[in-house]
């Protein structure tokens, strides 16, 4: 080079790019958490077709699953009612859960996304065949910056904000989120959303 500096290696550029993307995501995530806690996150509630949102989220992550040869399967019960929610935010929660499931499941495993209804709620579950979560970690899993294995390569995990954001979003939409997991035997993350209540038309 004319200025005497060496041309940066492609690997260096790639790793700088990845670091930049990670910091960018950190800033967005922190901003979203702060807004949610201040009650200022914009939520647009309406009638949401969960089936459609699940298909879109699965589609968005199917390339990641394919790369790890992870079988990604949808299982939705017939006649699932629509829910009262914000479709963008439901998609965001789902992408968080599905990307975790793919990230924390070894190659050739499986991830199942299912939806069913019970008692005026729709339950959306993301189940994986990964390492699972140790019993003692379960109470902290939705806390910001909490990661079971903080020493792990950051690229495989990010900053530990995904589940904290998912919890805020689900609560803002009137639902709950919880996890069931046995160490070594996979995890199931489930969140609920209220079934859309159709008001009876007023009689003349
Ligand atoms: N499906 C899963 N299987 C096993 N462990 C999981 C699973 N989902 C989450 N975890 C554990 O919970 C921790 C917190 O998850 P969370 O999504 O909040 O953060 P992250 O994935 O580490 O980073 P980020 O989502 O900010 O990129 C993870 O670091 C991991 O230890
Ligand atoms: Mg995550």
């Amino acid at each position: 080079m004319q200025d005497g500096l060496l041309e940066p290696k492609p690997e260096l550029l790639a790793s700088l790019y990845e670091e930049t993307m990670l910091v960018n995501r950190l800033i967005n995530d922190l901003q979203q958490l702060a807004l949610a806690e201040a009650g200022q996150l914009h939520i647009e509630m309406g009638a949401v077709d969960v089936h459609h949102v699940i298909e879109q989220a699965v589609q968005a992550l199917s390339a990641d699953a394919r790369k790890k040869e992870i079988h990604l399967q949808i299982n939705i019960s017939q006649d699932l009612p629509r829910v009262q929610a914000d479709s963008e935010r439901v998609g965001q929660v789902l992408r968080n859960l599905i990307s975790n499931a793919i990230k924390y499941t070894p190659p050739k495993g499986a991830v199942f996304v299912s939806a069913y209804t019970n008692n005026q709620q729709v339950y959306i579950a993301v189940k994986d065949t990964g390492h699972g979560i140790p019993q003692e970690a379960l109470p902290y899993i939705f806390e910001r910056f909490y990661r079971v294995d903080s020493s792990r390569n950051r690229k495989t995990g990010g900053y530990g904000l995904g589940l904290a954001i998912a919890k805020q979003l689900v609560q803002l939409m009137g639902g709950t989120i919880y996890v069931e997991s046995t160490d070594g035997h996979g995890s199931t993350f489930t969140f609920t959303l209220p079934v859309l209540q159709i008001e009876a038309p007023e009689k003349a």
Side-chain angles (χ1 to χ4, degrees):
M1 277 178 102
Q2 285 205 334
D3 56 10
L5 291 175
L6 290 175
E7 195 91 46
K9 289 210 174 88
E11 309 89 77
L12 176 65
L13 284 179
S15 103
L16 278 175
Y17 176 76
E18 259 161 30
E19 278 299 314
T20 313
M21 294 302 282
L22 205 60
V23 172
N24 192 28
R25 192 155 65 85
L26 172 68
I27 293 167
N28 283 333
D29 286 355
L30 284 173
Q31 186 186 31
Q32 200 159 56
L33 269 177
L35 284 174
E37 272 166 19
Q40 307 220 348
L41 198 66
H42 184 60
I43 296 271
E44 217 168 293
M45 297 292 273
V48 176
D49 172 1
V50 170
H51 195 136
H52 181 66
V53 181
I54 289 178
E55 272 176 353
Q56 279 186 325
V58 164
Q59 172 67 31
L61 291 162
S62 61
D64 291 352
R66 218 175 303 124
K67 264 185 236 154
K68 283 183 78 177
E69 292 183 61
I70 286 178
H71 176 68
L72 183 53
Q73 190 179 311
I74 300 179
N75 186 2
I76 298 176
S77 66
Q78 296 253 314
D79 302 326
L80 192 74
R82 288 187 300 168
V83 296
Q84 177 78 27
D86 177 327
S87 63
E88 271 305 308
R89 304 299 188 185
V90 178
Q92 192 181 346
V93 172
L94 262 170
R95 288 192 302 276
N96 266 342
L97 298 182
I98 300 170
S99 73
N100 275 352
I102 295 171
K103 208 157 49 176
Y104 302 117
T105 295
K108 301 191 195 297
V111 173
F112 305 94
V113 185
S114 58
Y116 49 94
T117 183
N118 185 27
N119 219 357
Q120 294 303 306
Q121 302 289 321
V122 164
Y123 291 74
I124 303 165
V126 178
K127 176 177 165 32
D128 64 58
T129 60
H131 296 304
I133 299 163
Q135 202 68 22
E136 62 274 15
L138 288 175
Y140 309 107
I141 207 81
F142 293 100
E143 281 182 13
R144 57 178 60 191
F145 296 116
Y146 183 82
R147 305 188 62 217
V148 173
D149 182 3
S150 50
S151 63
R152 197 172 27 215
N153 181 342
R154 271 205 275 145
K155 238 198 300 182
T156 59
Y159 286 93
L161 292 172
L163 288 177
I165 292 174
K167 183 177 178 180
Q168 288 279 358
L169 292 177
V170 169
Q171 286 180 340
L172 281 169
M173 293 185 286
T176 54
I177 185 166
Y178 53 92
V179 59
E180 292 153 287
S181 181
T182 325
D183 207 1
H185 290 96
S187 317
T188 305
F189 284 83
T190 307
F191 65 101
T192 66
L193 291 169
V195 166
L196 182 72
Q197 302 296 323
I198 313 271
E199 285 176 18
E202 276 182 32
K203 288 201 178 118

